[in-house]
Amino acid sequence: RKTHNNTRQPHTQTPSSTMSAAAARRRKQLLQKQKQQQEQNANGNDAVATRLKQLLSEELSESTAYEALQLAQSLLRKAVQTDQKEAVLEVTHNLCSKLLTGEKSDNNVYFIGMASQILVEAASAMLEVRVPANFENIQKFVQLDAFFTTALSKLNERDAIQEKQRVKYLQKALKWSDLMGSVRYGDLKMNSLLADALWVVGGEFRGDSVNHAALAEEPSIIVQRLMACDDAEVKESERDVLLTRAVLVFCAVENLRDANAVVKAYMEADSSRDFDKLATDFLSKEVKVKSHVIFCTSVVGILEREQKAGALYTWLLGKFQGYLQRNPELLPYTTKIGKIYFNIQPPPSMLSQMENMMAMMGGMGAAGMGAM
């Protein structure tokens, strides 16, 4: 007769069950610690936000304005850490509107300097926290730039440092609109603002200004700026190079409408030259001086042909090669145009240069401004 052993065996914990219990306790402790930290951060943010609101409700002095800047910077950092997208533009707008339009904003270089500082940081934060580059948010940043440019215009003397700071924050904002928005190479209005800022700085940055004005689809603005320059600022030959750059950018992004418009408007605005004679000279072997304007009209004309004219385009580049080599910043555009329209493959030495040029269109142009 079989007997059943009903004696219950003592339960022993396996190492895995012991570890699971310990892990559960550690997880619970970690969650409690995180909750406490979040509460502390929230309380801290509330205190910072309350103090900033109090300061902005009063007339700012230099000391209280600096305190407000520090508080706003703290809130921006917290917004990035906690992924508070809406807070980035809200905090920046509240501070900048006070600094740039408040009681003591007129001719106040100190306030303008603090505003440009928070604008640069905000533009970086918008990309870092991935603020959507929609119409509403772009308009908010456009308004911030309007506050800034109005304040700059009220200064008794030009402030070259703050003009360059404007370029810096607009470059970052354009990059944000390019990467987080729906428009290739960035929002048209952001390109337009950056083009204006670069033109104001002047000098070597006028070339990048023309680039962004072309990306903003502003052929008439380009011509107005070029024709408004006197020879002391930009010589006729330099104006022609800038026109060529504008035409090539329009063509490189497949905007033949505005490429045509800009060169026609330029010729109409310049009554001092006989363009028919320049066209004849361009084809002459005896005449060594070739016109940028005729080169531009020829490029547009070739690209507008229904039949592919790659050989004709190559011939034109050869005819103008000396001028292109003297202005090497134009070469990546002619290479890009050849590839897009005629499938002319660039040499390996030009490939990376062409790719870098196209990448720079989305807000990374005039990269040297960042160090100024």
Side-chain angles (χ1 to χ4, degrees):
R1 186 178 177 181
K2 292 183 179 180
T3 58
H4 296 279
N5 185 2
N6 293 325
T7 306
R8 304 182 69 176
Q9 298 296 322
H11 176 71
T12 57
Q13 286 186 328
T14 63
S16 60
S17 63
T18 303
M19 290 178 62
S20 297
R25 286 194 297 272
R26 286 197 299 271
R27 184 172 182 276
K28 184 177 180 180
Q29 291 170 354
L30 180 61
L31 290 173
Q32 289 177 339
K33 186 175 180 180
Q34 288 177 343
K35 183 178 180 181
Q36 291 173 354
Q37 186 65 46
Q38 288 173 353
E39 290 175 351
Q40 290 174 1
N41 290 340
N43 292 334
N45 279 353
D46 288 344
V48 171
T50 299
R51 176 57 180 162
L52 178 59
K53 184 177 181 180
Q54 178 187 355
L55 290 173
L56 297 182
S57 67
E58 303 169 355
E59 184 177 306
L60 292 177
S61 63
E62 288 191 0
S63 60
T64 56
Y66 182 67
E67 182 185 354
L69 172 64
Q70 290 182 310
L71 294 171
Q73 289 171 323
S74 175
L75 290 175
L76 279 186
R77 288 191 294 269
K78 290 294 184 183
V80 171
Q81 292 169 3
T82 57
D83 197 34
Q84 297 179 45
K85 294 177 173 59
E86 294 181 359
V88 174
L89 282 168
E90 181 182 353
V91 169
T92 307
H93 183 276
N94 290 342
L95 178 60
C96 286
S97 61
K98 185 68 175 183
L99 290 172
L100 300 174
T101 66
E103 299 88 345
K104 293 187 176 181
S105 61
D106 286 0
N107 197 34
N108 195 321
V109 178
Y110 186 72
F111 282 10
I112 291 174
M114 286 189 286
S116 69
Q117 189 173 338
I118 197 69
L119 283 167
V120 169
E121 294 180 28
S124 296
M126 289 191 303
L127 185 57
E128 190 172 353
V129 80
R130 304 177 71 83
V131 173
N134 54 33
F135 177 79
E136 181 183 0
N137 288 334
I138 287 172
Q139 288 303 112
K140 288 179 180 178
F141 203 88
V142 169
Q143 185 181 42
L144 290 171
D145 181 65
F147 289 158
F148 191 80
T149 52
T150 300
L152 273 182
S153 68
K154 292 180 180 180
L155 294 177
N156 294 332
E157 297 179 355
R158 280 186 59 183
D159 190 328
I161 293 176
Q162 294 308 320
E163 289 172 354
K164 291 173 183 177
Q165 281 289 95
R166 184 186 176 215
V167 170
K168 188 174 181 178
Y169 73 67
L170 285 173
Q171 281 179 322
K172 291 176 179 291
L174 176 61
K175 184 180 179 182
W176 159 72
S177 75
D178 178 27
L179 297 178
M180 298 303 301
S182 58
V183 181
R184 191 182 184 193
Y185 305 126
D187 180 75
L188 268 62
K189 184 61 178 179
M190 300 301 292
N191 270 295
S192 176
L193 294 177
L194 180 54
D196 174 70
L198 287 163
W199 191 263
V200 169
V201 173
E204 62 184 303
F205 300 107
R206 287 203 167 110
D208 287 317
S209 172
V210 167
N211 274 29
H212 290 289
L215 294 175
E217 301 181 4
E218 295 180 328
S220 60
I221 297 296
I222 293 172
V223 173
Q224 288 173 20
R225 287 175 181 157
L226 291 179
M227 300 312 296
C229 294
D230 56 34
D231 288 341
E233 291 182 287
V234 181
K235 296 180 180 179
E236 181 180 87
S237 59
E238 294 172 350
R239 281 202 299 268
D240 286 354
V241 173
L242 291 173
L243 169 72
T244 303
R245 188 161 176 169
V247 170
L248 293 178
V249 172
F250 279 130
C251 294
V253 297
E254 302 180 71
N255 183 357
L256 295 183
R257 177 201 64 191
D258 287 336
N260 216 327
V262 74
V263 72
K264 284 184 176 180
Y266 188 80
M267 293 172 70
E268 290 172 0
D270 187 353
S271 59
S272 64
R273 288 185 279 184
D274 184 345
F275 289 108
D276 289 335
K277 183 178 184 305
L278 289 176
T280 302
D281 291 345
F282 193 91
L283 297 173
S284 173
K285 293 182 179 179
E286 286 74 26
V287 180
K288 301 300 181 183
V289 179
K290 307 299 180 185
S291 166
H292 275 268
V293 181
I294 303 305
F295 171 74
C296 290
T297 60
S298 301
V299 168
V300 176
I302 290 171
L303 299 184
E304 287 182 331
R305 291 167 67 102
E306 291 184 5
Q307 295 181 344
K308 296 299 182 183
L312 187 57
Y313 178 72
T314 302
W315 171 85
L316 178 64
L317 294 184
K319 199 78 173 173
F320 208 61
Q321 191 63 29
Y323 292 87
L324 295 174
Q325 289 177 346
R326 284 198 290 274
N327 299 280
E329 70 276 10
L330 302 177
L331 290 172
Y333 300 103
T334 59
T335 302
K336 180 69 174 178
I337 291 167
K339 187 174 187 300
I340 291 175
Y341 293 88
F342 309 115
N343 199 29
I344 300 173
Q345 297 302 314
S349 60
M350 282 297 297
L351 185 60
S352 61
Q353 188 177 355
M354 182 187 74
E355 291 174 347
N356 289 338
M357 175 270 294
M358 298 306 290
M360 286 166 63
M361 287 186 178
M364 296 306 291
M369 297 294 294
M372 295 185 179

